Amino acid sequence: MEKSALQIARAAYQPKLPKALLGPVVAKEGKPTQSVGNQEEIKALFPNTYGMPVIEFEAGEQKPLEPFNVGIILSGGQAPGGHNVISGLFDGVKSLNPANKLYGFILGPGGLVDHKYMEITPELMDEYRNTGGFDIIGSGRTKLEEVDQFEKGIQILRELGIKALVIIGGDDSNTNACVLAEYYAAKKYGVQVIGCPKTIDGDLKNEQIETSFGFDTACKTYSELIGNIQRDCNSARKYWHFIKLMGRSASHIALECALQCQPNICLISEEVEAKNMSLDDVVTYIAQAVAARAAEGNNFGTVLIPEGLIEFIPAIKKLIAQLNDILATPEAQNLGRSEQIDFVKTHISKENLEVFNSLPTSVARQLALDRDPHGNVQVSLIETEKLLSAMVAVKLEQWKKEGKYVGKFGTQHHFFGYEGRCAAPSNYDADYCYSLGYNASRLIANGKTGYMSVIRNTTAPASEWIAGGVPITMMMNMEKRNGKMKPVIRKALVELDGAPFKFFASKRDMWAKETAYVYPGPIQYWGPTEVCDQPTKTLQLEHC
Ligand code: FBP
């Protein structure tokens, strides 16, 4: 594979590890844990993996281990740093015994079920150190939830002598990792399952997990692009740029980019829901800011829109909840796509039908039809940026007629998501991911299953990071998925009383009125620490 000069230089980077992981470790165990909600139900569903203690590694003696093999799966959307998790795991496993082997399952959890795998050799590994992407083995969204899949999985794990499987994924994939860990523990199959917190969305975090990997690099990549747009915007002074940002339900990415770039407007879905705003309220809020800037002669600006916004408008949220229930019924499942729309229309409540009919046809179809394998509405496919700018234009025209607005409203639209998911990891993600992978090898060596690899205290220098494991059941509660109550990891949404949102809220009126843009520029790997090694503003505000 031909490489750029930057790739060659970057390949030589040795990621940092927490001090505790530099030599042999012992696991210091805390008290028994509880799930975040529905304790009785979760305990009953996970009798073998519920209540385990939180673990922290300390320097100590490692008991000698027989050689063993490990399997790895990349699950769900790409996130910068995936290859570093693999290289950390690879180096960690080899450091325990050079004869140990690492096998990668191809194209996500489906590779385990279909027995598609490859050995990660030292030469192959070296090709991918510190690179973005998941292409070393590929990723996929197959949902691991059926006994039949678990049984097919154990066949190949046994054939390859695999003692532990590491699943790198978001909340849904780690939920499935936990279900698999429980199943293999109940059956006494002798295969451990360890999860690893991945997703650019930043919504897999809690008291134990400071951030999911990839969030840092993805946000820095989008912020570079937004900064470039803002500079263009402030140079030409003739467009309003409507920029949708990935992040699925949570608005963490939009919020982080707002903290980095200081746009004129940033919508936060969680706030829209809390304030019970309608679509018209959101449109009015944007139009007012456009009109206020126009009154000062500024017919330009930037609007950041989290991709999940539409789901958080309370009336639409209610509609989606009912659509999910209807679509999960066997009758609906057996219908073709166009018949499903008619079926849905005849089965939803009058109130929801009104909301459904008020939406542009393309948006209504998206809400009514496409779900990913985990039952999520595919919000990345909904063009909210175009929907909102069109509605703002209509409102401004109306205000013009009423003499309330004088100005020009030229628009440009952008959607940033795929641009950042495979970016070369920032120093933060390169170190964090490598540590997560290396740490997973220590959880395996200590015989743990049903744990997520966790690295904490990451706003401090890497040498002070804390390494350990958290039982996945601790993060679970019961939620409705595909029409049924299921144990799932609780998604972390933007907290309106959290420091990042409060800081943003204290500044946004000024940012709306004035042109206070910040241009963060590209990610830097070499240079002063304040340029190269800063964690996200979200993390800094959460930990200050
Ligand atoms: P994960 O939750 O699997 O990490 O994926 C995140 C994400 O990038 C979302 O931000 C986005 O909505 C979705 O994936 C897009 O999915 P796809 O890659 O299937 O188009």
Side-chain angles (χ1 to χ4, degrees):
M1 201 192 326
E2 199 164 338
K3 286 192 181 142
S4 69
L6 176 66
Q7 268 181 295
I8 294 167
R10 195 64 185 148
Y13 176 71
Q14 176 53 52
K16 302 186 185 86
L17 279 175
K19 199 152 79 215
L21 295 183
L22 293 175
V25 294
V26 283
K28 198 177 86 185
E29 302 202 340
K31 297 198 184 89
T33 56
Q34 296 253 344
S35 60
V36 284
N38 310 90
Q39 283 88 7
E40 288 312 313
E41 283 114 307
I42 306 283
K43 192 174 176 182
L45 288 166
F46 296 89
N48 296 281
T49 51
Y50 187 86
M52 301 182 297
V54 170
I55 287 170
E56 202 174 299
F57 288 125
E58 286 179 345
E61 286 275 298
Q62 172 67 54
K63 281 189 253 137
L65 294 167
E66 292 293 312
F68 63 87
N69 298 337
V70 172
I72 189 150
I73 294 177
L74 291 163
S75 181
Q78 286 70 253
H83 290 155
N84 274 34
V85 180
I86 300 182
S87 62
L89 178 66
F90 180 89
D91 291 350
V93 161
K94 294 278 181 193
S95 74
L96 292 164
N97 189 329
N100 291 345
K101 285 186 182 164
L102 180 62
Y103 290 98
F105 288 96
I106 310 290
L107 287 174
L112 176 73
V113 179
D114 300 334
H115 299 188
K116 301 242 164 52
Y117 64 90
M118 66 198 283
E119 187 186 339
I120 309 220
T121 60
E123 299 70 36
L124 179 67
M125 193 67 261
D126 287 348
E127 287 282 306
Y128 288 91
R129 289 177 189 270
N130 306 310
T131 58
F134 277 9
D135 43 320
I136 186 171
I137 47 174
S139 185
R141 291 199 184 277
T142 302
K143 194 168 162 55
L144 277 185
E145 59 175 355
E146 306 291 341
V147 166
D148 178 48
Q149 296 172 309
F150 304 161
E151 289 294 332
K152 284 192 179 137
I154 195 68
Q155 285 167 15
I156 188 70
L157 294 172
R158 282 190 177 140
E159 201 176 296
L160 297 173
I162 289 177
K163 156 193 166 78
L165 187 62
V166 177
I167 300 184
I168 301 177
D171 52 342
D172 287 326
S173 307
N174 275 287
T175 295
N176 296 145
C178 193
V179 174
L180 188 64
E182 174 63 32
Y183 182 83
Y184 285 169
K187 290 275 180 178
K188 302 202 177 358
Y189 282 168
V191 173
Q192 300 157 238
V193 183
I194 301 293
C196 194
K198 171 236 68 172
T199 176
I200 59 161
D201 299 350
D203 57 4
L204 177 48
K205 65 174 174 181
N206 47 49
E207 299 232 315
Q208 307 293 334
I209 297 171
E210 291 182 352
T211 186
S212 53
F213 81 74
F215 177 69
D216 184 273
T217 311
C219 288
K220 285 173 179 161
T221 306
Y222 304 141
S223 295
E224 178 201 350
L225 298 173
I226 295 164
N228 293 349
I229 287 175
Q230 292 192 150
R231 205 141 216 171
D232 193 288
C233 174
N234 197 17
S235 303
R237 303 190 187 179
K238 62 176 181 182
Y239 292 127
W240 272 86
H241 291 263
F242 282 71
I243 306 167
K244 184 175 79 161
L245 291 155
M246 257 192 187
R248 215 188 274 287
S249 303
S251 308
H252 298 293
I253 292 182
L255 178 57
E256 172 62 24
C257 292
L259 294 170
Q260 290 196 30
C261 302
Q262 304 189 179
N264 299 105
I265 300 170
C266 174
L267 302 170
I268 300 295
S269 310
E270 293 81 345
E271 185 185 26
V272 166
E273 180 176 32
K275 290 189 170 164
N276 203 9
M277 289 168 85
S278 63
L279 191 51
D280 185 59
D281 292 335
V282 174
V283 170
T284 304
Y285 171 70
I286 302 171
Q288 278 167 344
V290 172
R293 280 179 68 78
E296 307 265 309
N298 294 324
N299 288 300
F300 66 96
T302 47
V303 186
L304 304 191
I305 303 155
E307 73 171 356
L309 178 79
I310 205 93
E311 281 185 297
F312 279 75
I313 293 172
I316 300 180
K317 190 171 190 165
K318 258 196 242 157
L319 166 68
I320 293 174
Q322 198 184 16
L323 289 175
N324 285 347
D325 288 347
I326 295 171
L327 289 170
T329 58
E331 275 169 282
Q333 301 266 310
N334 292 329
L335 298 172
R337 285 167 68 88
S338 51
E339 293 164 310
Q340 267 184 337
I341 291 263
D342 295 336
F343 182 81
V344 152
K345 281 189 168 180
T346 50
H347 285 76
I348 48 177
S349 67
K350 199 164 152 270
E351 192 192 351
N352 281 337
L353 185 61
E354 266 171 36
V355 178
F356 189 81
N357 287 335
S358 73
L359 294 170
T361 322
S362 62
V363 175
R365 277 186 76 81
Q366 281 300 336
L367 295 184
L369 293 176
D370 298 324
R371 296 289 185 276
D372 76 4
H374 298 276
N376 303 310
V377 174
Q378 290 185 281
V379 280
S380 60
L381 303 178
I382 302 174
E383 294 184 314
T384 334
E385 68 285 18
K386 293 193 182 151
L387 170 73
L388 287 178
S389 88
M391 292 177 84
V392 170
V394 170
K395 189 153 294 260
L396 290 172
E397 268 314 301
Q398 180 59 36
W399 288 355
K400 206 172 239 176
K401 283 188 201 137
E402 294 166 12
K404 292 194 221 156
Y405 163 72
V406 203
K408 284 195 191 122
F409 185 59
T411 54
Q412 294 291 341
H413 304 101
H414 317 265
F415 168 37
F416 296 145
Y418 301 100
E419 292 80 352
R421 298 200 312 184
C422 283
S426 60
N427 285 347
Y428 175 90
D429 269 329
D431 294 344
Y432 181 49
C433 292
Y434 186 81
S435 299
L436 283 170
Y438 201 94
N439 184 56
S441 75
R442 275 24 192 186
L443 288 168
I444 296 167
N446 279 273
K448 303 300 172 194
T449 191
Y451 275 81
M452 208 182 290
S453 174
V454 168
I455 302 289
R456 294 189 292 118
N457 200 29
T458 63
T459 47
S463 59
E464 292 165 35
W465 291 4
I466 298 164
V470 179
I472 303 178
T473 51
M474 191 181 172
M475 306 169 203
M476 287 186 156
N477 66 169
M478 302 293 290
E479 288 175 26
K480 206 174 205 184
R481 293 290 162 92
N482 286 330
K484 288 195 195 113
M485 290 308 282
K486 292 262 170 92
V488 290
I489 293 177
R490 188 183 275 174
K491 220 183 243 310
L493 300 177
V494 167
E495 285 177 11
L496 302 183
D497 57 358
F501 179 80
K502 277 182 163 168
F503 181 83
F504 160 73
S506 71
K507 300 282 181 195
R508 65 177 158 189
D509 290 349
M510 192 263 278
W511 296 347
K513 200 162 173 284
E514 292 168 24
T515 304
Y517 303 151
V518 172
Y519 314 114
I523 292 174
Q524 303 291 316
Y525 302 103
W526 296 277
T529 282
E530 65 276 17
V531 178
C532 304
D533 302 317
Q534 293 304 308
T536 56
K537 296 212 180 284
T538 302
L539 206 52
Q540 290 180 44
L541 286 162
E542 281 170 348
H543 290 264
C544 65

